[in-house]
Amino acid sequence: MLRKRMFVSWALAGACAAAFVVAASADVGTPGWKFAAQDPPTPPTQQDPPDPGGRGAGRQGAGGGANTAPRPYAQVITSAAKTDDGIFKVHRVADNLFFEIPAKELGKDFVWNVALKKTTIGAGFGGQRVSSRVVRWTKRGDRILLESVDYSITAGTDPIVAQAVADANYPAIIRTLNVAAYAPNGDAVIDVTPFFMEGGVPEFSARGAVGGRGADPARSFLERAVSFPENINVESTITYTGGADAGGDPGGGGGGRGGGRAGMRGSSGTVVVHHSMMKLPEKAMMPRNFDQRVGFETESLLDFGTDEHRSVRDQIINRFRLEKKDPAAAVSEPVKPIVFYIDPATPAKWVRYVKAGIESWQPAFEAAGFRNAIKAMDAPANDAEWSAEDARYSVVRWVPTTTEAQSTIVDPRSGEIVAAVIDVYPNVQTFGPTWYFVQAGPLDKRAQQLPLPDDLSGELLKFQVAHQIGHTLGMTHNLKASATYKLADIRTPAYVKENGFVPSIMDDARFHYVAQPTDGIDPADLIPKVGPYDKFAIKWAYSTVPSAKTPDAEKVALDQIVKEQDTKPFLRYSTEGAAAADPGENAEAVGDAEAVAATALGLKNLNLVAAMMMKGTSSKVGDPWDDLEAVYNRLVAQWSTELGAVVKVVGGFDSHQIHIGQQGNARFVTVPKAKQAEAVNFLLANAFTVPQFMVNPDVLRRIQASGAVDRVRIAQAAILTSLLQNQRLDRMTEQLTIDGATVAYSPLEFLTAVRNGVWSEASKPGTAITIYRRNLQRAYLDNLDQKLNGTPAASAEVKMFAKGELKALKRQLQAAIAAPTLDEATRRHFADCVEEVDTILDPRVSRPAPDPAAAAAAGGRGRGGVR
């Protein structure tokens, strides 16, 4: 799920591969990305626009030019000035903008966010975040300095160490600005126009986010500037010229999602850029230390002030500030609840579902001791000063996009989430009708015909919002908890009603594709909901520890909460460092504690989907077959995903993130040998035989002229490549060495089983080999070729096994070729494969560096033109 996170912090979400994103997570995985609070400046793309007032003071200062002496206040802030009073006084004089900075606000920390509010098609999208950084205004003589502040290192309370750390982390100066005038009370006035008109200050530019080459001053305008008690909002219309390499934000913000990649359509694009500069809290919230057993986004700190005679890498979690109105009450209203505003652009019929998704988290906060801690509210009506881009507000925005995303603004001193934004749309790819049709259609009659009815689309939207809300509360994907649910339980209606089919809405699973139509699961329970793990995680992160005055003092109380995992395995979180090896760490997986049995049930449902696919996508008479093609492609992807969960069983570890003093066994336990062998046999029988739905002529002849054979080849080759990956073989070798042959599945046993399964026709003379099997067998040779001759180089152990398998295969093929009953096509195929084996094993063969694009198109063939 693709997942985006902004730093001061934006959660990418993602991510989510979806997770959702997308990611990603991304991670991103991802999906995600994170802005540094201190980014290197990039030279401007063009010269500053000419100063229409002829003064030059602010422009020269902003660009670091010659100093200009301050002038009388009335000559700068003339009678024509339009002034708005707030945290700073903001003056607009013609097309110039001035900040009048109170002396008390100098040296204070602000977060400065840049976002797109309105866009031309192709130039990003409304609501897209561009950049964010922590800044500080300071004074030096008759100049104001804008500094970029980095809180990633700390020094505790030792004044000597603190001074040394401060000396090593001197704030970078983004710009110097000459004082244009002094107010009667002595406050400095500076011309800040270049910050908001493209070309002056690259750190705050949206150019990279929209894929622009430069900006046209004649078609760019300052729109509005409003000052509030805590923040200042400024908007400007910028017209960019096209043709730039959409590589990202020139100011270090990393660019936004989507727009920068796509680039503008045509020679120019006009956008409204929104800047929001908000003061961070005077008193930082007390941080909460990260615990690897509970999944939260974090800020990383390098602490030089410990007594351990070494620097210590610490992490604090991201969370909203919640304080009880009644500290003595077990459950209390919060002093200030978490409020998410609903974008006024949201269609009326979807508003109630968006609100329900937000407020579905209320029971989780009750577990943490807060009643009505999170609320959904309509945006203020007819309020010209309210803006969805305002950094003070958390907003669920209605954005026409194919991928979901969320971002959070975080105080890096404490991890406090100051505000958050979620982008939603009901037809988003990772939550939309095609996914639900394929994964839940056999169990929900409402989903057996596209388009889906509004009530069902609303429930999907609620889920989409609730998942993204979890990210904005600080939570990350938890893929592990669902691997603790028993398959029998998630097929039992009462259990699923009470606990969900996954224990966390953050699991990155979509819908319940394992349950069978005869199980009687309520269709309302086929969609994930806030579950037991979510309540546990919110309790751990947001509960008040009344007696604790420091993060370290909370440790004992919080550790007791975490130890609920000892008796309730479904409260576990992903084990640090285990994602690649733990078969319970699967995105998009349901019932992966028993991956083979769960996938067998999932494949049965896919056959049911295939049977209803034609009827379910052909209701719109006169339309093309777009829905059929979308469902077919999703069906193939789902088949690959489910079989991928079985692949991870081979060479896998069952992991459990446990800490010192906690009950439990080792953090990593080898998956039993019999279970691994079962997974290999299942793959040979199901992944490497072609399902009928994938080659159904009734479907294929309606959606494409050709490509079906190649699609099968690519899907099967991907599974085979994952199964035979070098890391898996090295891990199996280590498991055999440490755990012994009675526990571990040896690489030799594994490779022999795969070879005999993929090449089963060699032991059955007279058996004709289809094009699908020939392609699979070629993919097998490509994999072993890559191990011996590809880059990066495989380990010596893996190379040894690969050579042995190729030699054994050659003997099998030579024996098969001699069989008198062999058909000519098969004979030629086997003879060609023998030649391939000889080429792979011959070190004298010249092997030019492969072209990555060509290799990808050929399904991973690693020897370039040598064949």
Side-chain angles (χ1 to χ4, degrees):
M1 163 156 334
L2 239 207
R3 188 176 74 74
K4 179 178 65 178
R5 196 163 84 80
M6 176 180 265
F7 183 95
V8 138
S9 190
W10 293 4
L12 88 154
C16 138
F20 283 69
V21 129
V22 61
S25 117
D27 333 329
V28 123
T30 288
W33 42 273
K34 189 168 185 177
F35 286 104
Q38 179 174 313
D39 294 317
T42 303
T45 57
Q46 60 184 49
Q47 298 297 317
D48 292 346
D51 181 356
R55 294 184 299 275
R59 300 298 169 82
Q60 289 177 334
N67 291 338
T68 302
R71 296 184 293 127
Y73 185 78
Q75 291 184 18
V76 178
I77 308 302
T78 66
S79 59
K82 296 180 179 179
T83 299
D84 198 41
D85 197 358
I87 193 165
F88 298 175
K89 284 185 178 178
V90 175
H91 308 280
R92 181 169 181 173
V93 182
D95 291 328
N96 283 43
L97 191 66
F98 295 86
F99 282 178
E100 185 174 317
I101 306 177
K104 67 177 183 177
E105 302 300 345
L106 293 171
K108 301 297 176 64
D109 289 345
F110 291 79
V111 57
W112 190 320
N113 289 335
V114 184
L116 302 181
K117 183 175 183 178
K118 299 179 181 179
T119 66
T120 301
I121 292 176
F125 59 89
Q128 176 181 343
R129 298 290 183 163
V130 174
S131 65
S132 179
R133 65 189 72 236
V134 177
V135 299
R136 187 182 293 157
W137 301 94
T138 62
K139 190 171 184 295
R140 189 183 184 97
D142 287 335
R143 292 189 296 173
I144 296 294
L145 281 59
L146 181 63
E147 300 174 338
S148 181
V149 185
D150 189 336
Y151 280 99
S152 64
I153 64 175
T154 185
T157 58
D158 187 318
I160 296 176
V161 178
Q163 184 59 53
V165 168
D167 292 344
N169 190 28
Y170 197 64
I173 299 171
I174 297 174
R175 285 294 183 273
T176 63
L177 301 101
N178 296 322
V179 175
Y182 285 101
N185 65 355
D187 291 342
V189 177
I190 55 175
D191 185 346
V192 293
T193 314
F195 287 98
F196 308 105
M197 301 304 293
E198 185 68 29
V201 185
E203 287 85 349
F204 300 95
S205 168
R207 180 180 66 87
V210 303
R213 181 185 296 279
D216 182 357
R219 293 182 286 167
S220 300
F221 313 95
L222 185 68
E223 297 290 355
R224 64 193 291 265
V226 185
S227 187
F228 299 97
E230 299 175 12
N231 67 305
I232 295 170
N233 292 345
V234 181
E235 291 177 0
S236 51
T237 294
I238 308 292
T239 298
Y240 292 98
T241 54
D245 179 11
D249 175 17
R257 174 176 53 78
R261 294 185 182 90
M264 299 182 303
R265 300 183 184 179
S267 60
S268 61
T270 300
V271 299
V272 175
V273 183
H274 181 97
H275 297 254
S276 191
M277 188 185 70
M278 180 172 62
K279 185 179 179 181
L280 290 175
E282 290 280 359
K283 183 180 179 181
M285 178 183 74
M286 188 175 80
R288 178 152 294 178
N289 289 332
F290 174 62
D291 189 315
Q292 292 93 335
R293 296 169 292 180
V294 191
F296 273 81
E297 296 286 356
T298 64
E299 307 303 316
S300 295
L301 306 173
L302 187 59
D303 189 353
F304 288 90
T306 70
D307 293 329
E308 300 183 34
H309 303 291
R310 63 185 177 95
S311 60
V312 176
R313 293 195 177 274
D314 291 329
Q315 291 175 290
I316 57 176
I317 67 167
N318 294 346
R319 57 178 181 151
F320 280 91
R321 186 189 298 233
L322 281 181
E323 299 166 337
K324 288 183 175 181
K325 280 185 179 179
D326 182 359
V331 181
S332 168
E333 297 272 345
V335 173
K336 180 183 178 181
I338 302 165
V339 176
F340 276 87
Y341 289 93
I342 312 301
D343 188 342
T346 308
K349 69 178 180 178
W350 303 122
V351 168
R352 67 187 180 99
Y353 295 105
V354 174
K355 289 183 174 180
I358 296 168
E359 295 184 349
S360 66
W361 284 91
Q362 287 184 351
F365 282 100
E366 288 178 6
F370 292 95
R371 183 180 300 108
N372 297 321
I374 183 168
K375 296 181 177 181
M377 294 183 64
D378 294 319
N382 302 317
D383 185 347
E385 294 190 343
W386 190 92
S387 171
E389 293 78 26
D390 192 329
R392 293 176 300 167
Y393 303 127
S394 295
V395 182
V396 178
R397 292 181 56 96
W398 194 261
V399 176
T401 177
T402 57
T403 56
E404 77 292 340
Q406 76 292 319
S407 60
T408 55
I409 302 169
V410 176
D411 183 345
R413 303 168 302 173
S414 63
E416 178 184 355
I417 299 171
V418 180
V421 173
I422 294 172
D423 299 334
V424 298
Y425 199 66
N427 198 32
V428 69
Q429 288 175 347
T430 51
F431 295 92
T434 304
W435 277 80
Y436 194 77
F437 183 96
V438 170
Q439 290 194 344
L443 284 82
D444 189 344
K445 292 182 179 179
R446 298 173 299 171
Q448 294 176 0
Q449 182 71 61
L450 294 179
L452 300 180
D454 280 355
D455 64 328
L456 179 52
S457 294
E459 291 176 25
L460 300 184
L461 179 61
K462 173 187 172 183
F463 162 47
Q464 177 189 355
V465 171
H467 179 94
Q468 300 301 335
I469 287 289
H471 283 308
T472 62
L473 296 175
M475 297 178 66
T476 56
H477 289 145
N478 178 5
L479 309 182
K480 180 64 178 179
S482 64
T484 65
Y485 270 10
K486 295 178 180 178
L487 190 57
D489 287 338
I490 63 173
R491 297 183 64 188
T492 302
Y495 185 91
V496 175
K497 179 72 69 178
E498 176 68 21
N499 303 287
F501 65 92
V502 287
S504 174
I505 201 170
M506 307 309 296
D507 182 81
D508 210 12
R510 295 295 181 266
F511 311 112
H512 197 347
Y513 64 79
V514 169
Q516 299 296 292
T518 55
D519 291 340
I521 303 294
D522 186 337
D525 297 326
L526 301 175
I527 302 172
K529 56 188 176 184
V530 174
Y533 168 82
D534 305 312
K535 296 173 184 177
F536 156 80
I538 292 294
K539 177 182 177 181
W540 175 85
Y542 285 88
S543 289
T544 302
V545 183
S547 59
K549 304 301 180 186
T550 66
D552 288 342
E554 296 181 321
K555 183 174 182 179
V556 173
L558 296 178
D559 191 58
Q560 290 304 309
I561 295 176
V562 176
K563 285 183 177 179
E564 290 183 46
Q565 295 173 338
D566 292 342
T567 55
K568 299 175 182 177
F570 51 81
L571 301 182
R572 293 177 186 172
Y573 177 66
S574 302
T575 304
E576 188 177 28
D582 188 340
E585 293 273 356
N586 287 308
E588 311 295 349
V590 177
D592 44 349
E594 302 167 63
V596 169
T599 301
L601 293 170
L603 296 182
K604 287 180 64 177
N605 278 338
L606 291 186
N607 287 325
L608 296 176
V609 174
M612 68 185 194
M613 181 166 48
M614 286 287 296
K615 181 180 179 181
T617 58
S618 57
S619 64
K620 294 181 282 187
V621 177
D623 279 7
W625 294 96
D626 293 349
D627 283 347
L628 177 63
E629 184 172 8
V631 168
Y632 174 81
N633 289 335
R634 182 65 253 155
L635 195 63
V636 174
Q638 182 66 25
W639 178 84
S640 297
T641 297
E642 293 183 26
L643 289 164
V646 179
V647 170
K648 286 191 72 173
V649 175
V650 183
F653 285 104
D654 289 325
S655 69
H656 178 195
Q657 182 68 32
I658 54 176
H659 286 188
I660 297 170
Q662 190 174 355
Q663 297 177 17
N665 298 314
R667 289 174 65 210
F668 305 101
V669 178
T670 297
V671 172
K673 177 178 181 177
K675 197 170 183 179
Q676 294 189 49
E678 177 193 28
V680 170
N681 291 332
F682 183 85
L683 291 168
L684 293 172
N686 294 277
F688 303 140
T689 58
V690 183
Q692 182 57 39
F693 74 78
M694 205 179 287
V695 292
N696 183 349
D698 287 343
V699 174
L700 295 175
R701 291 296 177 251
R702 284 175 170 81
I703 66 173
Q704 62 184 173
S706 64
V709 171
D710 208 41
R711 181 185 289 105
V712 173
R713 177 185 64 81
I714 291 170
Q716 291 188 328
I719 294 172
L720 182 63
T721 299
S722 178
L723 183 63
L724 294 176
Q725 65 182 209
N726 295 340
Q727 298 94 323
R728 190 180 317 280
L729 290 166
D730 284 330
R731 194 163 58 243
M732 295 174 75
T733 299
E734 185 171 299
Q735 289 176 344
L736 179 65
T737 303
I738 294 174
D739 298 319
T742 58
V743 173
Y745 189 34
S746 78
L748 186 56
E749 291 176 287
F750 161 62
L751 289 170
T752 300
V754 172
R755 171 167 45 84
N756 289 334
V758 170
W759 299 90
S760 60
E761 294 88 350
S763 62
K764 301 174 184 177
T767 303
I769 304 180
T770 67
I771 181 61
Y772 304 114
R773 292 287 290 182
R774 293 199 296 269
N775 281 337
L776 175 68
Q777 290 163 0
R778 290 169 184 139
Y780 176 94
L781 293 176
D782 285 341
N783 268 277
L784 269 63
D785 182 15
Q786 186 67 25
K787 296 182 191 313
L788 292 177
N789 304 306
T791 54
S795 68
E797 193 75 8
V798 170
K799 287 184 175 181
M800 177 268 290
F801 282 123
K803 289 178 183 176
E805 288 304 300
L806 286 168
K807 291 175 182 178
L809 175 60
K810 181 178 178 179
R811 291 192 295 270
Q812 285 180 271
L813 295 178
Q814 288 173 329
I817 291 172
T821 57
L822 199 64
D823 69 278
E824 185 59 25
T826 301
R827 188 185 308 279
R828 292 184 180 187
H829 169 63
F830 280 169
D832 182 62
C833 290
V834 170
E835 292 182 11
E836 292 279 321
V837 170
D838 288 339
T839 301
I840 295 169
L841 291 172
D842 189 349
R844 298 169 298 178
V845 174
S846 175
R847 294 178 173 86
D851 175 7
R861 301 177 80 90
R863 297 203 305 278
V866 178
R867 243 359 194 186

mmCIF file of all heavy atoms in Angstrom, residues 54-76:
data_model
loop_
_atom_site.group_PDB
_atom_site.id
_atom_site.type_symbol
_atom_site.label_atom_id
_atom_site.label_comp_id
_atom_site.label_asym_id
_atom_site.label_seq_id
_atom_site.Cartn_x
_atom_site.Cartn_y
_atom_site.Cartn_z
ATOM 1 N N GLY A 54 10.479 49.531 -6.654
ATOM 2 C CA GLY A 54 11.756 50.188 -6.795
ATOM 3 C C GLY A 54 12.555 50.265 -5.516
ATOM 4 O O GLY A 54 13.588 50.929 -5.451
ATOM 5 N N ARG A 55 12.123 49.608 -4.454
ATOM 6 C CA ARG A 55 12.805 49.745 -3.173
ATOM 7 C C ARG A 55 14.029 48.852 -3.099
ATOM 8 O O ARG A 55 15.086 49.244 -2.657
ATOM 9 C CB ARG A 55 11.844 49.415 -2.037
ATOM 10 C CG ARG A 55 10.705 50.409 -1.916
ATOM 11 C CD ARG A 55 9.843 50.063 -0.704
ATOM 12 N NE ARG A 55 9.244 48.754 -0.820
ATOM 13 C CZ ARG A 55 8.108 48.496 -1.461
ATOM 14 N NH1 ARG A 55 7.472 49.478 -2.072
ATOM 15 N NH2 ARG A 55 7.613 47.295 -1.521
ATOM 16 N N GLY A 56 13.834 47.573 -3.449
ATOM 17 C CA GLY A 56 14.970 46.658 -3.482
ATOM 18 C C GLY A 56 15.382 46.122 -2.142
ATOM 19 O O GLY A 56 16.165 45.186 -2.075
ATOM 20 N N ALA A 57 14.881 46.673 -1.036
ATOM 21 C CA ALA A 57 15.404 46.259 0.269
ATOM 22 C C ALA A 57 15.125 44.801 0.541
ATOM 23 O O ALA A 57 16.027 44.026 0.817
ATOM 24 C CB ALA A 57 14.786 47.136 1.362
ATOM 25 N N GLY A 58 13.833 44.425 0.460
ATOM 26 C CA GLY A 58 13.518 43.044 0.779
ATOM 27 C C GLY A 58 14.084 42.081 -0.222
ATOM 28 O O GLY A 58 14.585 41.035 0.120
ATOM 29 N N ARG A 59 14.042 42.395 -1.524
ATOM 30 C CA ARG A 59 14.499 41.469 -2.538
ATOM 31 C C ARG A 59 15.993 41.226 -2.424
ATOM 32 O O ARG A 59 16.469 40.131 -2.548
ATOM 33 C CB ARG A 59 14.155 41.983 -3.934
ATOM 34 C CG ARG A 59 12.671 42.172 -4.145
ATOM 35 C CD ARG A 59 11.925 40.829 -4.008
ATOM 36 N NE ARG A 59 10.514 41.055 -3.945
ATOM 37 C CZ ARG A 59 9.761 41.254 -5.029
ATOM 38 N NH1 ARG A 59 10.285 41.248 -6.208
ATOM 39 N NH2 ARG A 59 8.470 41.450 -4.901
ATOM 40 N N GLN A 60 16.747 42.302 -2.187
ATOM 41 C CA GLN A 60 18.178 42.111 -2.069
ATOM 42 C C GLN A 60 18.507 41.272 -0.847
ATOM 43 O O GLN A 60 19.348 40.398 -0.897
ATOM 44 C CB GLN A 60 18.887 43.462 -1.989
ATOM 45 C CG GLN A 60 18.868 44.214 -3.314
ATOM 46 C CD GLN A 60 19.509 45.582 -3.198
ATOM 47 O OE1 GLN A 60 19.547 46.171 -2.126
ATOM 48 N NE2 GLN A 60 20.008 46.096 -4.314
ATOM 49 N N GLY A 61 17.774 41.522 0.235
ATOM 50 C CA GLY A 61 18.032 40.729 1.435
ATOM 51 C C GLY A 61 17.692 39.277 1.226
ATOM 52 O O GLY A 61 18.441 38.391 1.616
ATOM 53 N N ALA A 62 16.552 39.027 0.580
ATOM 54 C CA ALA A 62 16.156 37.643 0.366
ATOM 55 C C ALA A 62 17.159 36.909 -0.485
ATOM 56 O O ALA A 62 17.417 35.739 -0.294
ATOM 57 C CB ALA A 62 14.772 37.594 -0.294
ATOM 58 N N GLY A 63 17.739 37.592 -1.427
ATOM 59 C CA GLY A 63 18.709 36.947 -2.284
ATOM 60 C C GLY A 63 20.116 37.007 -1.750
ATOM 61 O O GLY A 63 21.049 36.540 -2.379
ATOM 62 N N GLY A 64 20.316 37.586 -0.568
ATOM 63 C CA GLY A 64 21.643 37.680 0.005
ATOM 64 C C GLY A 64 22.469 38.785 -0.616
ATOM 65 O O GLY A 64 23.691 38.794 -0.542
ATOM 66 N N GLY A 65 21.801 39.816 -1.204
ATOM 67 C CA GLY A 65 22.522 40.891 -1.861
ATOM 68 C C GLY A 65 22.987 41.950 -0.883
ATOM 69 O O GLY A 65 23.033 41.759 0.324
ATOM 70 N N ALA A 66 23.315 43.115 -1.393
ATOM 71 C CA ALA A 66 23.859 44.195 -0.564
ATOM 72 C C ALA A 66 22.820 44.683 0.436
ATOM 73 O O ALA A 66 21.620 44.708 0.167
ATOM 74 C CB ALA A 66 24.307 45.343 -1.465
ATOM 75 N N ASN A 67 23.305 45.097 1.622
ATOM 76 C CA ASN A 67 22.412 45.601 2.651
ATOM 77 C C ASN A 67 21.838 46.950 2.237
ATOM 78 O O ASN A 67 22.480 47.749 1.554
ATOM 79 C CB ASN A 67 23.155 45.759 3.972
ATOM 80 C CG ASN A 67 23.537 44.424 4.554
ATOM 81 O OD1 ASN A 67 22.928 43.419 4.224
ATOM 82 N ND2 ASN A 67 24.552 44.406 5.401
ATOM 83 N N THR A 68 20.611 47.213 2.655
ATOM 84 C CA THR A 68 19.964 48.494 2.443
ATOM 85 C C THR A 68 19.468 48.983 3.790
ATOM 86 O O THR A 68 18.826 48.235 4.525
ATOM 87 C CB THR A 68 18.789 48.362 1.463
ATOM 88 O OG1 THR A 68 19.272 47.824 0.231
ATOM 89 C CG2 THR A 68 18.139 49.699 1.206
ATOM 90 N N ALA A 69 19.753 50.204 4.122
ATOM 91 C CA ALA A 69 19.384 50.732 5.445
ATOM 92 C C ALA A 69 17.872 50.786 5.584
ATOM 93 O O ALA A 69 17.152 51.066 4.614
ATOM 94 C CB ALA A 69 19.984 52.118 5.633
ATOM 95 N N PRO A 70 17.353 50.510 6.784
ATOM 96 C CA PRO A 70 15.909 50.616 7.010
ATOM 97 C C PRO A 70 15.419 52.039 6.727
ATOM 98 O O PRO A 70 16.134 53.015 6.948
ATOM 99 C CB PRO A 70 15.754 50.265 8.489
ATOM 100 C CG PRO A 70 16.982 49.497 8.831
ATOM 101 C CD PRO A 70 18.072 50.065 7.988
ATOM 102 N N ARG A 71 14.209 52.124 6.240
ATOM 103 C CA ARG A 71 13.596 53.424 5.951
ATOM 104 C C ARG A 71 12.476 53.696 6.931
ATOM 105 O O ARG A 71 12.048 52.798 7.664
ATOM 106 C CB ARG A 71 13.071 53.420 4.512
ATOM 107 C CG ARG A 71 14.194 53.271 3.484
ATOM 108 C CD ARG A 71 13.689 53.359 2.047
ATOM 109 N NE ARG A 71 12.827 52.241 1.675
ATOM 110 C CZ ARG A 71 11.609 52.386 1.162
ATOM 111 N NH1 ARG A 71 11.095 53.582 0.998
ATOM 112 N NH2 ARG A 71 10.889 51.325 0.837
ATOM 113 N N PRO A 72 11.968 54.904 6.942
ATOM 114 C CA PRO A 72 10.855 55.213 7.853
ATOM 115 C C PRO A 72 9.673 54.274 7.602
ATOM 116 O O PRO A 72 9.367 53.928 6.452
ATOM 117 C CB PRO A 72 10.518 56.669 7.507
ATOM 118 C CG PRO A 72 11.805 57.233 6.997
ATOM 119 C CD PRO A 72 12.457 56.108 6.236
ATOM 120 N N TYR A 73 9.014 53.905 8.690
ATOM 121 C CA TYR A 73 7.914 52.939 8.630
ATOM 122 C C TYR A 73 6.837 53.368 7.638
ATOM 123 O O TYR A 73 6.359 52.569 6.826
ATOM 124 C CB TYR A 73 7.316 52.795 10.031
ATOM 125 C CG TYR A 73 6.240 51.738 10.174
ATOM 126 C CD1 TYR A 73 6.558 50.390 10.263
ATOM 127 C CD2 TYR A 73 4.890 52.096 10.250
ATOM 128 C CE1 TYR A 73 5.577 49.421 10.414
ATOM 129 C CE2 TYR A 73 3.899 51.140 10.403
ATOM 130 C CZ TYR A 73 4.242 49.795 10.484
ATOM 131 O OH TYR A 73 3.261 48.856 10.647
ATOM 132 N N ALA A 74 6.467 54.654 7.638
ATOM 133 C CA ALA A 74 5.375 55.123 6.798
ATOM 134 C C ALA A 74 5.732 55.106 5.326
ATOM 135 O O ALA A 74 4.843 55.089 4.464
ATOM 136 C CB ALA A 74 4.968 56.543 7.205
ATOM 137 N N GLN A 75 7.019 55.083 5.008
ATOM 138 C CA GLN A 75 7.419 55.010 3.609
ATOM 139 C C GLN A 75 7.330 53.575 3.069
ATOM 140 O O GLN A 75 7.251 53.370 1.866
ATOM 141 C CB GLN A 75 8.845 55.539 3.441
ATOM 142 C CG GLN A 75 8.999 57.024 3.658
ATOM 143 C CD GLN A 75 10.411 57.492 3.387
ATOM 144 O OE1 GLN A 75 11.189 56.807 2.731
ATOM 145 N NE2 GLN A 75 10.744 58.672 3.912
ATOM 146 N N VAL A 76 7.380 52.615 3.988
ATOM 147 C CA VAL A 76 7.302 51.216 3.579
ATOM 148 C C VAL A 76 5.871 50.695 3.707
ATOM 149 O O VAL A 76 5.296 50.154 2.758
ATOM 150 C CB VAL A 76 8.271 50.354 4.413
ATOM 151 C CG1 VAL A 76 8.154 48.881 4.029
ATOM 152 C CG2 VAL A 76 9.708 50.829 4.222
#
